[in-house]
Amino acid sequence: MTDLAHIRNFSIVAHIDHGKSTLADRLIQETDTVSARDMKAQMLDAMDIERERGITIKANTVRLNYTSDNGEAYVLNLIDTPGHVDFAYEVSRSMRAVEGSLLVVDSTQGVEAQTLANVYQAIDADHEIVPVLNKIDLPASDCDRVAEQIEDVIGIDASGAIRVSAKTGVGIHEVLEAIVHHLPAPKGTRDAPLKAMLVDSWYDAYLGVIVLVRIMDGVLKKNDRVRMMQNGSVHQVDRIGVFRPGMMPVDELGPGEIGFITASIKQVRDTRVGDTITHEKKGTDRALPGFKPSVPVVFCGLFPVDSAEFEDLRDAIEKLALNDASFSYEMETSAALGFGFRCGFLGLLHLEVVRDRLEREYSIELITTAPSVVYHIFMKDGTMRELHNPADMPDLTYVDHIEEPRIKATILVPDEFLGDVLKLCQDRRGIQLDLTYAGSRAMVVYDLPLNEVVFDFYDRLKSVTKGYASFDYQLTGYRADNLVKMQILVNEEPVDALSTMVHRDRAEMRGRAMVEKLKDLIPRHMFKIPIQAAIGGKVIARETLSALRKDVTAKCYGGDATRKKKLLEKQKAGKKKMRQFGKVDIPQEAFISALKMDS
Amino acid sequence: MPDDWRFGGFGLYVHWPFCAAKCPYCDFNSHVSAKIEMEDWRAAYKREIARYASETGPRVLNSVYFGGGTPSLMAPEIVETVIETAAKHWTFANDIEITLEANPTSVEAGKFADFRHAGVSRVSLGVQALNDADLRRLGRLHDVATAMTALETARNAFDRVSFDLIYARQDQSLSDWRQELTTALGFSPEHLSLYQLTIESGTAFGDRFRRGKLPGLPDEDLAADMFILTQDICDAAGLPAYEVSNHAVPGQESRHNLIYWHGGDYVGIGPGAHGRLTLDGQRHATTTELSPGKWLSQVSRTGTGELEREALRPRDHAGEYLMMSLRTTEGLDMKRYRDIAGKPINMFDINDLENLGLLQSSGDRLQATRDGRAVLNAIITRLLPDD
């Protein structure tokens, strides 16, 4: 173990593409943590999805050994945190595990909105923040302007900002020196009862659950029996170590240190992010503050395209759930889509990530139904039911009223886009709570129905603000409103997977938008197809998809027969991939695209 | 059940792969070459005919068809040799049809008498458009006036003449096409092939289309209107459709092409030519080497230009018969289909499509209606046998 004075724990806060991963790679390289032979780009982003999308889903960590210019040897622990609102809680825990942050800003671009949410998380966690201006090798680099902007927008001193090029390596040494000299050493007492924060955890096929911990007080050793304070479960530590970034065993982890343990834990569910780990005997009785259990807020149905793959999907979901405690699932049957699962997620990115992983890692093609929030249905008999799926909406004659989840949304936006943002929030049934300015940036706070946000709010926000808005939200509670279930009928038959809950006042507009979209998404058939939106038995919007009029191969002679027949067989196979509703084939993308609103 | 060649006829297809220039819409196997060894080609065709004849044994040959490429660029001596060789190995039907595809240029028209002398009885002229600006856009080397002269020359030289037009071209309106087709019918043709312009991938038009550089093509509704208009005008002029894109005065249909659509046998020789051969009751699909140079050297080296020979499974055979026969107004023989497939077409699908007015049946005959022919791909996709 290392004494506290020679430990520095930090995270890197950066907008996407501002060079966070490249900088992390450079720090790893500069400290000889990985041999040149084993070095690959973006060392810390383990999953394909992370690497491709430039997002981090699980917290990653690496221990760097660095001998400073003053001749003393330091241990530097870097935690790379997820940066998306879906994982805001996970980010807050990672931030609590370190004492400082590097704020990396692209000196050719300046501060971007998405950086703000994370930098405020760092400020909330009382971090010391070292600004780093990256990409100074580029001709468009303007460090003075960007430093000034950091001071204006974020309100921290940027006079000592370090100018680096993670690409060429210029300034990397200065960054390491700043970590040592500007960031505080962690605090903690070796003799106190063990108090370790569970920062993150994931499943490994060989080792079981790997738990990433930050020791606050006390010492953790191999073979120690430890207790998870939230669920009370007791485990024996069978491995203990640090990441460099591969796993390296150590004898013990002391105060201020970050490392991992394994303890024959079979499910990630048994390890809650933010939980406090202590010794079974002579442990602390005071857990670390701030623990929150994760609650899924967005639900959708996942169905295999090929119904024969249902069992494969079940296996895949069960395996995935082992590694993702925040994701819930239960079996669902749809008249239209057959057998599948109703799954709960932390948010839309989480949903997409899980869906991508199922499709990619388990090679299962999926139909995803419209995301929905959890409604509270108050029945006339005084009972309350949770509604995860609009298809399960009980008969209205038994329903007294319906409540929906609301959020408090905070949006930071350059003032030139303020009008568009306000309009978007109003359109989504928002109630303005606050509007303030910081420099040329406005901060608006809205009370919004979660229902209006889960689907495509973030996409719309990015689009109307050209990506310059940051968005964060927290659930505030439930409120009654005039909500109804809207059904979609294709060729006179209801398609349960397209049912949605909508506000009565917006039903006509939503219904119209959906039937128009579906008219474009469903290919022409050999007959005309009415597409309707209805509430109860009442049709509120209608479109008619005309019959196919022309689809014939102009030339087909002896030499074409083989090829043309293959083409038609391919078309036939393509049709099988669509879902049949009565006589109508609906392509998979329709189930999601139909709900996207353009305005 | 009778073999395909007894049921649908037996023909010989000869592919000549060279063109003076490549057209931007064409996805056929055609090449532009400066030097062509006519003697080598003559020998290779001769050898291929002899090889196939030894497999088929004696049969009545209903048709010989020279396609391409541009077969009117062939030396008439090659054409003559092919016809003579075919006559030596098979028995010519009394009404044998010998067709040659030709471009309506003055150079080629100058060879028509020689082709006639070689034994060609019918030509199919690639006129394509009756509008000089559009001919240039289609990459054709002739103009309307030259084409008309060539048509006249062809009529004097051959028993039967057909010509092709391409419609649904860029910026072509419904009334433009009405006028053009009316003009074409004014020449009193006995046979017309009227093709909707199809953008094929792998062609110059295909590339431009993909890059969004081929504007002014009709949408589905205009294309459908043009198709219906074509049927109306040709019906009124006494040249009803006998196939999706082919119209003829009754009795003047292309016998060769009917072999394809009736599911008959055909020997295919030349680079890239396909064939269908029923041997000992089993139907085979044959393909040949695509590259002209390789085909030629393969024939002289190994004695065969064939690349692959696949014994068709009943379901492929039946699917092909379905796809080809429904193109004709005469339609499909359901008994023949059952014999090939071993089971009938799904009656539920037929009834459904009949109720939509896209198919009609009487006895064993199943036909696509006029509306049905416009959406034939959707019908075939529905009826194709499952795996």
Side-chain angles (χ1 to χ4, degrees), chain A residues 197-260:
Chain A
M197 179 161 74
L198 198 161
V199 180
D200 206 348
S201 62
W202 56 92
Y203 185 77
D204 179 282
Y206 301 102
L207 304 174
V209 177
I210 296 170
V211 179
L212 181 64
V213 294
R214 154 71 199 265
I215 311 294
M216 297 301 184
D217 285 316
V219 180
L220 185 55
K221 292 184 179 140
K222 191 172 169 179
N223 297 326
D224 281 358
R225 290 184 65 81
V226 294
R227 184 158 51 90
M228 307 280 180
M229 292 184 74
Q230 280 300 325
N231 65 0
S233 64
V234 174
H235 306 273
Q236 180 162 347
V237 175
D238 48 28
R239 271 185 198 78
I240 185 162
V242 296
F243 290 103
R244 296 189 45 82
M247 292 170 106
M248 191 186 84
V250 295
D251 294 333
E252 59 171 52
L253 289 171
E257 290 193 296
I258 294 172
F260 70 87

Side-chain angles (χ1 to χ4, degrees), chain A residues 549 551 553-554 556-557 562, chain B residues 195 220 225 245 261 276 327 374:
Chain A
R549 292 193 60 209
D551 180 15
T553 306
C556 191
Y557 297 101
T562 311
Chain B
Y195 300 112
E220 185 188 324
D225 291 343
S245 303
W261 299 319
R276 293 290 183 276
R327 296 185 66 83

Side-chain angles (χ1 to χ4, degrees), chain A residues 165-320:
Chain A
S165 165
K167 195 169 131 203
T168 64
V170 171
I172 300 301
H173 180 73
E174 287 74 9
V175 171
L176 289 163
E177 286 295 309
I179 292 168
V180 167
H181 297 296
H182 294 321
L183 300 188
K187 295 190 183 76
T189 312
R190 188 176 165 84
D191 302 329
L194 177 66
K195 210 185 255 189
M197 179 161 74
L198 198 161
V199 180
D200 206 348
S201 62
W202 56 92
Y203 185 77
D204 179 282
Y206 301 102
L207 304 174
V209 177
I210 296 170
V211 179
L212 181 64
V213 294
R214 154 71 199 265
I215 311 294
M216 297 301 184
D217 285 316
V219 180
L220 185 55
K221 292 184 179 140
K222 191 172 169 179
N223 297 326
D224 281 358
R225 290 184 65 81
V226 294
R227 184 158 51 90
M228 307 280 180
M229 292 184 74
Q230 280 300 325
N231 65 0
S233 64
V234 174
H235 306 273
Q236 180 162 347
V237 175
D238 48 28
R239 271 185 198 78
I240 185 162
V242 296
F243 290 103
R244 296 189 45 82
M247 292 170 106
M248 191 186 84
V250 295
D251 294 333
E252 59 171 52
L253 289 171
E257 290 193 296
I258 294 172
F260 70 87
I261 57 168
T262 67
S264 304
I265 304 170
K266 294 200 175 49
Q267 295 195 37
V268 171
R269 269 169 212 287
D270 297 335
T271 56
R272 304 291 187 83
V273 170
D275 200 352
T276 306
I277 300 171
T278 191
H279 282 123
E280 184 189 16
K281 288 181 183 146
K282 295 185 187 167
T284 181
D285 49 10
R286 286 182 50 193
L288 296 161
F291 173 81
K292 278 197 289 188
S294 73
V295 181
V297 293
V298 182
F299 285 78
C300 76
L302 296 179
F303 294 83
V305 168
D306 177 355
S307 51
E309 287 187 345
F310 172 75
E311 286 302 328
D312 297 337
L313 177 61
R314 183 205 295 277
D315 280 356
I317 283 182
E318 281 172 358
K319 278 195 194 123
L320 210 59

Side-chain angles (χ1 to χ4, degrees), chain B residues 120-139:
Chain B
V120 172
S121 58
R122 180 175 179 271
V123 287
S124 171
L125 288 175
V127 173
Q128 315 306 16
L130 297 177
N131 165 330
D132 285 343
D134 283 8
L135 282 172
R136 283 192 294 273
R137 263 176 145 177
L138 291 171

Side-chain angles (χ1 to χ4, degrees), chain A residues 524 526 548-559 561-563 565 568-569 571-572 576 583, chain B residues 27 195-196 220-221 225 245-246 260-261 266 276 316 327 352 374-377 381-382 384 386:
Chain A
R524 281 186 178 189
M526 285 182 280
L548 181 70
R549 292 193 60 209
K550 187 80 175 42
D551 180 15
V552 59
T553 306
K555 282 191 180 190
C556 191
Y557 297 101
T562 311
R563 194 164 53 94
K565 181 164 152 286
L568 294 173
E569 279 172 345
Q571 277 181 29
K572 191 178 176 97
K576 280 195 182 152
K583 292 177 179 176
Chain B
D27 70 333
Y195 300 112
Q196 285 226 352
E220 185 188 324
D221 284 319
D225 291 343
S245 303
N246 283 280
Y260 299 141
W261 299 319
Y266 47 99
R276 293 290 183 276
D316 290 327
R327 296 185 66 83
D352 205 27
V375 295
L376 194 61
N377 285 351
T381 307
R382 175 88 178 266
L384 271 179
D386 280 313

Side-chain angles (χ1 to χ4, degrees), chain A residues 271-380:
Chain A
T271 56
R272 304 291 187 83
V273 170
D275 200 352
T276 306
I277 300 171
T278 191
H279 282 123
E280 184 189 16
K281 288 181 183 146
K282 295 185 187 167
T284 181
D285 49 10
R286 286 182 50 193
L288 296 161
F291 173 81
K292 278 197 289 188
S294 73
V295 181
V297 293
V298 182
F299 285 78
C300 76
L302 296 179
F303 294 83
V305 168
D306 177 355
S307 51
E309 287 187 345
F310 172 75
E311 286 302 328
D312 297 337
L313 177 61
R314 183 205 295 277
D315 280 356
I317 283 182
E318 281 172 358
K319 278 195 194 123
L320 210 59
L322 287 179
N323 196 16
D324 188 346
S326 47
F327 149 67
S328 73
Y329 63 96
E330 60 186 22
M331 219 185 107
E332 179 183 4
T333 318
S334 153
L337 302 173
F339 291 108
F341 291 92
R342 191 82 191 161
C343 301
F345 305 93
L346 295 177
L348 274 183
L349 177 75
H350 187 211
L351 184 161
E352 279 177 36
V353 166
V354 169
R355 190 190 54 201
D356 277 9
R357 292 191 60 189
L358 287 170
E359 292 199 321
R360 192 186 305 223
E361 293 170 27
Y362 299 92
S363 305
I364 299 172
E365 273 191 273
L366 295 171
I367 296 175
T368 313
T369 64
S372 161
V373 300
V374 179
Y375 293 93
H376 288 171
I377 314 288
F378 290 85
M379 310 299 287
K380 286 192 173 140

Side-chain angles (χ1 to χ4, degrees), chain A residues 489-492 519 522-532 542-549 581 583-584, chain B residues 355-356 358:
Chain A
L489 295 92
V490 174
N491 207 23
E492 318 285 348
K519 189 182 164 198
I522 300 174
R524 281 186 178 189
H525 283 54
M526 285 182 280
F527 44 89
K528 66 176 192 223
I529 300 168
I531 303 169
Q532 298 157 301
R542 180 194 163 103
E543 283 283 335
T544 304
L545 176 63
S546 356
L548 181 70
R549 292 193 60 209
F581 296 86
K583 292 177 179 176
V584 181
Chain B
N355 290 335
L356 292 170
L358 302 174

